[in-house]
Amino acid sequence: MEERDRLEAYLRDRGLKMTVARETVLRAFLGLERHVSAEELYDEARRLDPSIGQATVFRTIKLLADAGLAREACRDDGARQYEHAWKHGHHDHLMCVRCGAVVEFQDDAIERAQEAVYSAHGYVPGGHRLELLGLCPACAGTGGGKGSA
Amino acid sequence: MEERDRLEAYLRDRGLKMTVARETVLRAFLGLERHVSAEELYDEARRLDPSIGQATVFRTIKLLADAGLAREACRDDGARQYEHAWKHGHHDHLMCVRCGAVVEFQDDAIERAQEAVYSAHGYVPGGHRLELLGLCPACAGTGGGKGSA
DNA sequence: GTTGGTATTGATAATAGTTATCAATATACT
DNA sequence: AGTATATTGATAACTATTATCAATACCAAC
């Protein structure tokens, strides 16, 4: 498993250790092909190993993020969210505010325009977060416009 | 004060009342020309009226957001953040990850590209959040590249 | 301006998400 | 296998936020 190797390398570089708990969290994370909160990840990890502690999951997901395996985002309602980052190219999100459906997309025009903004202000690019909100076709079709007044 | 009128109209529409506490929070918010957390807003509001309660500040800033006077964002470290929204045109943020400097910008090319993404996926646009991260000229100049290896 | 019904307030408790503490244990290196 | 040290899980602590509730302020009607 390439991700496991990556984590092990990361740990070794820092004098840290590869443990069964960390591997459990990694497997739980990789098994969930969507955005997860630490809480959800905890639930999944417990399915793989009921003895795992919540603190460990919190600690480990942060480690995964540092190691470049997970990407951290922030959600409106408080809980932080994590998504796969390893060999998953950069992408942004298009989310339906009604049903929560998420589309991951990548758009060169947007990326280029962002580069232009960076250089216009003399900044050195270092990542970005873009979230487009709106109504998905299904929700828009079922009267999602406003109130049905 | 135009903002006060806006708030009063919003409240009246909903059968709510204009109170001194709400006006205090509004003045505190308007007086801070930057992004603030509810906590910071509480501090400022207490300067104007030491008897104001924290719960009231939390309640009121949410009200301001609903009324279109404040815009809500989420920050990495947990605390929600609010910025002026009244007669402040839409803009995105360019932030220095080292010193925290924030540039507000507006870029037509990005906006247009976003519209294209919406229609490509059949979504109805409903707002977006874009945050560009990087190093500001000052921080990039003082060896902000990586480690100074 | 007084009255009265209702929204609002501030203090406090409660909650959610996350982090620190710490003794027991697992890990990696020899 | 032995040993130093990083890690673990349970729990307490902490931060940001929300609910509860009796006292009070607001505003419209008189």
Side-chain angles (χ1 to χ4, degrees):
Chain A
M1 197 194 323
E2 200 174 347
E3 291 91 345
R4 206 202 109 107
D5 294 342
R6 165 70 191 142
L7 177 58
E8 199 156 9
Y10 170 85
L11 293 173
R12 187 172 312 238
D13 281 353
R14 309 196 146 199
L16 305 179
K17 294 168 180 174
M18 186 67 192
T19 67
V20 295
R22 281 174 181 161
E23 188 157 357
T24 298
V25 174
L26 176 62
R27 281 200 298 134
F29 179 61
L30 295 177
L32 294 171
E33 274 294 336
R34 55 189 175 83
H35 300 190
V36 290
S37 64
E39 199 84 14
E40 294 168 315
L41 187 57
Y42 176 42
D43 290 341
E44 178 67 14
R46 248 189 318 191
R47 231 191 308 283
L48 301 181
D49 172 8
S51 75
I52 202 166
Q54 192 174 23
T56 299
V57 174
F58 272 93
R59 282 187 289 236
T60 306
I61 185 62
K62 242 171 224 301
L63 219 51
L64 296 186
D66 265 356
L69 293 170
R71 195 177 289 124
E72 200 173 338
C74 62
R75 203 164 50 180
D76 283 349
D77 62 315
R80 244 162 280 179
Q81 219 165 56
Y82 298 89
E83 64 177 21
H84 291 190
W86 185 246
K87 292 291 172 77
H88 283 229
H90 163 73
H91 60 258
D92 296 307
H93 296 121
L94 171 57
M95 180 163 61
C96 178
V97 295
R98 175 172 278 203
C99 70
V102 175
V103 174
E104 298 185 342
F105 70 90
Q106 207 280 333
D107 189 84
D108 287 334
I110 291 181
E111 303 292 322
R112 276 197 305 273
Q114 289 175 349
E115 291 299 322
V117 171
Y118 277 118
S119 46
H121 291 276
Y123 272 58
V124 176
H128 69 262
R129 271 188 298 262
L130 170 60
E131 195 169 48
L132 300 183
L133 306 171
L135 291 169
C136 70
C139 290
T142 57
K146 271 280 159 77
S148 42
Chain B
M1 196 194 326
E2 200 173 347
E3 290 92 345
R4 206 204 110 107
D5 295 342
R6 165 71 192 141
L7 177 58
E8 199 156 10
Y10 170 84
L11 292 172
R12 187 171 311 239
D13 281 354
R14 310 196 146 200
L16 305 179
K17 294 169 180 174
M18 185 68 192
T19 67
V20 295
R22 282 174 181 161
E23 187 157 357
T24 298
V25 174
L26 176 61
R27 282 200 297 133
F29 179 62
L30 295 177
L32 294 171
E33 275 294 338
R34 57 191 173 82
H35 301 190
V36 290
S37 64
E39 198 85 13
E40 293 169 315
L41 187 57
Y42 176 42
D43 289 340
E44 179 66 14
R46 248 191 317 193
R47 232 191 307 283
L48 302 180
D49 173 7
S51 75
I52 202 165
Q54 193 175 22
T56 300
V57 175
F58 271 92
R59 282 187 289 239
T60 307
I61 185 62
K62 243 170 223 303
L63 219 52
L64 296 186
D66 266 356
L69 293 169
R71 194 176 291 125
E72 201 173 335
C74 61
R75 202 163 51 179
D76 284 348
D77 62 315
R80 245 163 277 179
Q81 218 165 50
Y82 298 90
E83 63 176 21
H84 292 189
W86 184 246
K87 294 290 173 76
H88 284 228
H90 163 72
H91 60 259
D92 296 306
H93 296 122
L94 171 57
M95 181 162 62
C96 178
V97 295
R98 174 173 279 203
C99 70
V102 174
V103 174
E104 299 185 341
F105 70 89
Q106 208 279 334
D107 188 84
D108 287 335
I110 290 181
E111 302 292 323
R112 276 196 305 273
Q114 288 175 348
E115 292 299 323
V117 171
Y118 277 118
S119 46
H121 292 275
Y123 272 59
V124 177
H128 69 262
R129 272 189 297 263
L130 171 60
E131 195 169 48
L132 301 183
L133 306 171
L135 291 168
C136 70
C139 289
T142 57
K146 270 281 159 78
S148 39

